[in-house]
Amino acid sequence: MTDQALLRLSGIGKTYESGTRALQEIGFDVACGGFVSLVGPSGCGKSTLLRLIAGLMRPSEGRLTWRDGARPETGFVFQDATLMPWASVFENVYLPLKLKGLAREDCRVRVMEALARVGLSDEAEAMPRALSGGMKMRVSIARALVMEPSLLLMDEPFAALDELTREKLDDDLLTLWKEQSWTVLFVTHSVFEAVYLSERVLVFSHEGKITHDIAIEGGFPRGDAFRESALYFEQAKRVSAALRGEVRP
Ligand code: ADP
């Protein structure tokens, strides 16, 4: 394992009790501070892999090796913002700190800082029902980043949002990624989003194997110039072709 790798996965397989073989022979290194997207047909094991990395389940085969011997502080963001509807934005972001036994007053500054980072300083007392889908997702991101994670696992976080909101959140995510030096693993159905965000795209087959590991060219920060570039389209075409090869006709 190289010094730059935060995590090494070797020979990972996962078979559920139902007999479903969700993942097979998964092996790759995740560079510290890297941005890696996972794409593949529905049911190919992407969420299963994130749950294994989060430590929510154990693999049936293989092992995960962490650079420092243990998983670093990890944030998990799902497609559904999963906010508590009866609690304010502040309370939703405070929740993980509360679960760690920290008093509300001691956490006020941290919560407000997390909200400021996602542009929601003025919404601390708002209730989730008063927020747009994009704002709810920002609250969900603030709730992950209030724990100051070094690893962020994101499972189709922006899939339910309209295109413009998604583009804005993609840009904000890239800004935060650089600012916070996160390592990000990002599951998406959108080839364009994967290429826009990532340094590297892993393509899964329906059998739960990684078939392509594609390095994405183009420096950061990325913005409209990258979105409109031939390089962006060429790379999206390449990932699409890899993916098409893996989708059952
Ligand atoms: P993806 O995220 O790529 O859509 P998943 O990781 O959700 O794929 O699922 C991979 C396979 O494992 C699918 O066949 C799915 O039905 C199955 N699966 C997922 N979670 C469970 C579970 N808790 N129990 C049994 N099978 C599951």
Side-chain angles (χ1 to χ4, degrees):
M1 182 161 170
T2 61
D3 286 350
Q4 290 83 31
L6 174 71
L7 166 65
R8 165 165 290 179
L9 298 110
S10 9
I12 297 282
K14 176 71 186 176
T15 306
Y16 284 106
E17 277 175 21
S18 59
T20 302
R21 192 146 169 65
L23 292 170
Q24 303 185 54
E25 298 159 29
I26 300 293
F28 63 95
D29 281 6
V30 180
C32 204
F35 201 122
V36 182
S37 284
L38 316 179
V39 299
S42 270
C44 70
K46 305 179 297 293
S47 302
T48 299
L49 186 60
L50 284 199
R51 292 201 296 265
L52 289 175
I53 293 173
L56 300 174
M57 297 187 306
R58 296 171 66 84
S60 314
E61 297 122 39
R63 54 188 304 216
L64 290 95
T65 314
W66 296 97
R67 184 185 58 176
D68 299 325
R71 179 180 307 97
E73 187 66 46
T74 301
F76 210 135
V77 181
F78 303 93
Q79 175 176 344
D80 183 0
T82 59
L83 303 181
M84 302 180 290
W86 60 86
S88 68
V89 164
F90 182 96
E91 290 297 320
N92 270 282
V93 175
Y94 164 57
L95 178 69
L97 299 164
K98 183 178 179 177
L99 293 175
K100 288 221 161 178
L102 299 172
R104 183 177 284 97
E105 279 320 304
D106 296 341
C107 297
R108 189 157 289 280
V109 172
R110 271 173 85 176
V111 170
M112 290 312 292
E113 269 174 15
L115 286 173
R117 279 197 222 128
V118 298
L120 287 181
S121 296
D122 295 339
E123 310 298 333
E125 296 315 318
M127 299 302 278
R129 66 175 170 276
L131 305 179
S132 67
M135 286 160 101
K136 283 185 193 144
M137 191 44 73
R138 286 178 194 278
V139 177
S140 173
I141 292 171
R143 188 179 51 195
L145 64 84
V146 77
M147 299 306 292
E148 294 171 15
S150 48
L151 173 64
L152 201 56
L153 305 173
M154 306 186 87
D155 198 349
E156 297 190 54
F158 310 145
L161 305 177
D162 65 82
E163 194 62 25
L164 282 180
T165 306
R166 175 194 277 225
E167 286 185 4
K168 173 82 178 92
L169 282 170
D170 284 343
D171 284 333
D172 292 349
L173 174 61
L174 283 184
T175 305
L176 283 168
W177 167 60
K178 280 288 176 204
E179 248 174 50
Q180 308 288 315
S181 307
W182 285 329
T183 304
V184 181
L185 283 172
F186 191 96
V187 170
T188 175
H189 268 114
S190 163
V191 165
F192 282 102
E193 186 177 43
V195 170
Y196 184 74
L197 291 174
S198 314
E199 295 175 310
R200 188 173 166 206
V201 176
L202 302 178
V203 179
F204 283 65
S205 70
H206 60 265
E207 308 150 300
K209 292 184 182 172
I210 294 174
T211 54
H212 300 77
D213 182 344
I214 301 173
I216 303 298
E217 288 172 42
F220 293 90
R222 291 177 179 167
D224 287 344
F226 183 68
R227 275 201 181 94
E228 288 157 14
S229 69
L231 181 65
Y232 175 50
F233 283 97
E234 276 160 23
Q235 297 187 101
K237 245 166 80 179
R238 205 168 140 219
V239 174
S240 283
L243 191 55
R244 263 200 307 277
E246 305 313 332
V247 178
R248 239 192 274 249

